[in-house]
Amino acid sequence: MPTVVIAGAGLVGALNACFFAQKGWNVVVYEFRRDIRTMKHVQGRSINLALSNRGKAALEAVGLKEYIVQQGVPMYARLVHNKDGKTFSRQPYGKPGEHIVSINRRHLNEVMITQAEKSPNVKFFFEHKVKSVDYEKKQLVVQCTSQPSRIPTFGNKASQPEEHPEIHVEADLILACDGAYSAVRRSLMTIPRFDFVQEYIEHGYVELNILAKNNEFAFEENVFHLWPRGHLTLIALANRDKTFTVTIFAPYAEFEKHMSNTEDVFAFFQENFPDAFELLGREHIADTFSRVKPQPLVSVKCSPHSFFGNLVLMGDAAHAMVPFYGQGMNCGFEDCLVLSETLEEFGDDIETAIKAYSDRRVPDAHSINDLAMYNYEELKDLVNRNSYKLRKMFDTFMNNLLPNTWYPLYSMVTFTRIPYHEVVERRQRQDEIVSKMLKTTSTLALIGAAIGVYMQRGRIGL
Ligand SMILES: Cc1cc2nc3c(=O)[nH]c(=O)nc-3n(C[C@H](O)[C@H](O)[C@H](O)COP(=O)(O)OP(=O)(O)OC[C@H]3O[C@@H](n4cnc5c(N)ncnc54)[C@H](O)[C@@H]3O)c2cc1C
């Protein structure tokens, strides 16, 4: 059986390990962190994530969908909180019953590692850092980072930690799943014609928590709570333990101006998110903002995703995106599924399959990256605009009329596996139709108005 070496045991690396374990390949995973299953506190991004159809399809292929979905909290609509702190508007995500699921990141990651490890052909090496890729030899360069032994020294000098030697690892297939700041991707930078774009948006984010109230959810759990305030956005997703993870997205300048001392941050929350302020509580807000710095949000596009006939960039290593479509993990999970399907299609001819995979996946990754940027505009402001609400109503109407042809944009991304680049093409066609209809309607309205004026004049003239 061939050997696959995976860099990173995060969400995408761990799911890839499940896929290849199932295929019977020899699987070796190198993860920089300690085993998260043994850690009290795991540092990292977002506590919970929205899982949608693409992610579910990939989990289903490795037999984990049902279990994972059961562990989550379904969300059927966006609940938009108005600035008065008392009124709301509800925007269902799709047709009745269609929903996304709030999942705990750490639990999901742990379940996938444990599932992969059940196969005797899978080995995880934690506290192993992937340093680079040696592309002359098509090998991964890895170094153990655990408890360095001490080099004895003489005299009063403190002993110096000895570094573990670097090892060069060979494999039939190397999957770089080492996240947005991928060391593997970094070492590919000098490859001719490797395209790479990285962008930090002006916003950062801070996570807070709303605790359970009398052992119950403090407010409605089966919705995605949203406080859109122009350039600021607050969101809240429920957890199974009846808490909510609340995330504030704001420009770094706003964090500095309004959230750098306790009194300012209280005033800021009271003014913009009065209902959330009450539920979060002064103590928790003060404590969080005194301890935590805003985290940056980065978007990465690159092309190709495959190299040297045996290396593939996947997940955030290939396409980190801003989190406003809730698709980063879902897209990464779909990567695993598409790679598995493509290898099967090419009878495990790795070189041809990974080239085909990259050709297919690059346009999709670029498209969802752009859509995520677009949704950033939508979430922070557009959801409150009448033009947005009208378009949503129109799309729902058309979807009821032509259920197999006209899908709203959000539904195509979230509830189908239509390739992302095709989603964008379909939306552009819909936009053209809508604008033609608007032109025709306004032309007809103008003609109608002209006739009306003419008739009126005629009458006046009589
Ligand atoms: C605030 C926020 C909210 C989000 N919400 C959602 C959501 O609702 N839905 C959604 O689909 N997506 C969401 N995402 C995106 C999602 O978190 C990422 O797309 C997903 O984590 C990508 O998984 P990954 O395995 O590619 O990368 P990561 O999860 O970053 O995992 C990379 C792994 O590689 C390891 N690693 C890194 N460097 C090395 C190295 N040199 N050697 C060895 N190991 C290494 C890391 O320790 C880590 O374990 C959100 C992101 C953010 C920031």
Side-chain angles (χ1 to χ4, degrees), residues 102-380:
S102 166
I103 299 282
N104 179 287
R105 175 191 290 268
R106 176 176 179 170
H107 180 62
L108 174 61
N109 208 163
E110 290 180 350
V111 168
M112 292 189 295
I113 293 173
T114 303
Q115 166 89 352
E117 253 186 355
K118 284 183 190 156
S119 300
N121 49 332
V122 177
K123 185 93 188 90
F124 281 85
F125 292 94
F126 296 101
E127 295 179 87
H128 278 71
K129 184 172 186 172
V130 173
K131 308 273 293 205
S132 60
V133 56
D134 176 343
Y135 42 86
E136 296 285 305
K137 297 190 183 135
K138 298 186 173 188
Q139 292 171 339
L140 210 55
V141 183
V142 181
Q143 189 174 37
C144 176
T145 58
S146 69
Q147 298 168 344
S149 50
R150 301 254 149 195
I151 304 171
T153 52
F154 299 103
N156 292 332
K157 275 191 183 168
S159 62
Q160 295 296 312
E162 185 187 18
E163 286 210 326
H164 291 275
E166 289 182 352
I167 46 171
H168 286 238
V169 183
E170 240 172 38
D172 300 291
L173 178 60
I174 297 171
L175 305 180
C177 310
D178 51 344
Y181 305 100
S182 169
V184 176
R185 190 187 66 225
R186 202 167 47 239
S187 68
L188 298 171
M189 284 301 168
T190 52
I191 299 276
R193 306 200 62 221
F194 176 47
D195 287 333
F196 172 75
V197 191
Q198 172 179 300
E199 184 186 350
Y200 282 98
I201 59 167
E202 59 167 339
H203 284 56
Y205 71 95
V206 168
E207 282 189 336
L208 301 116
N209 275 297
I210 292 176
L211 299 178
K213 221 173 166 184
N214 305 324
N215 211 21
E216 284 306 326
F217 286 103
F219 52 15
E220 191 175 343
E221 73 270 28
N222 293 124
V223 289
F224 176 96
H225 292 272
L226 175 66
W227 291 257
R229 302 286 182 264
H231 57 302
L232 312 163
T233 307
L234 191 79
I235 62 167
L237 275 74
N239 300 304
R240 283 274 292 196
D241 64 2
K242 303 206 159 90
T243 63
F244 283 86
T245 304
V246 179
T247 313
I248 175 160
F249 297 97
Y252 270 79
E254 290 285 318
F255 279 115
E256 271 161 36
K257 199 167 158 201
H258 299 295
M259 289 173 265
S260 50
N261 71 61
T262 310
E263 287 316 311
D264 284 356
V265 78
F266 287 168
F268 180 82
F269 267 72
Q270 265 170 326
E271 188 194 335
N272 292 293
F273 320 110
D275 49 344
F277 177 73
E278 292 304 321
L279 292 167
L280 286 161
R282 286 168 185 265
E283 208 180 313
H284 174 62
I285 295 177
D287 174 55
T288 306
F289 280 91
S290 68
R291 278 186 305 105
V292 180
K293 296 251 167 305
Q295 299 296 303
L297 292 166
V298 70
S299 161
V300 169
K301 279 187 193 171
C302 66
S303 171
H305 289 177
S306 75
F307 304 83
F308 326 124
N310 81 331
L311 171 71
V312 189
L313 297 175
M314 299 179 77
D316 277 16
H319 48 63
M321 63 194 75
V322 294
F324 304 106
Y325 229 117
Q327 283 295 307
M329 167 195 66
N330 285 289
C331 176
F333 279 8
E334 197 180 46
D335 288 351
C336 305
L337 183 53
V338 173
L339 178 65
S340 170
E341 288 168 348
T342 314
L343 279 164
E344 271 162 37
E345 186 183 329
F346 289 91
D348 286 351
D349 169 354
I350 295 172
E351 190 166 346
T352 316
I354 64 170
K355 166 87 177 53
Y357 167 86
S358 175
D359 291 347
R360 284 172 194 173
R361 213 54 192 150
V362 167
D364 286 332
H366 286 7
S367 298
I368 186 59
N369 222 302
D370 294 341
L371 283 170
M373 267 312 178
Y374 167 78
N375 222 38
Y376 163 52
E377 299 300 321
E378 187 168 309
L379 278 189
K380 65 185 191 183

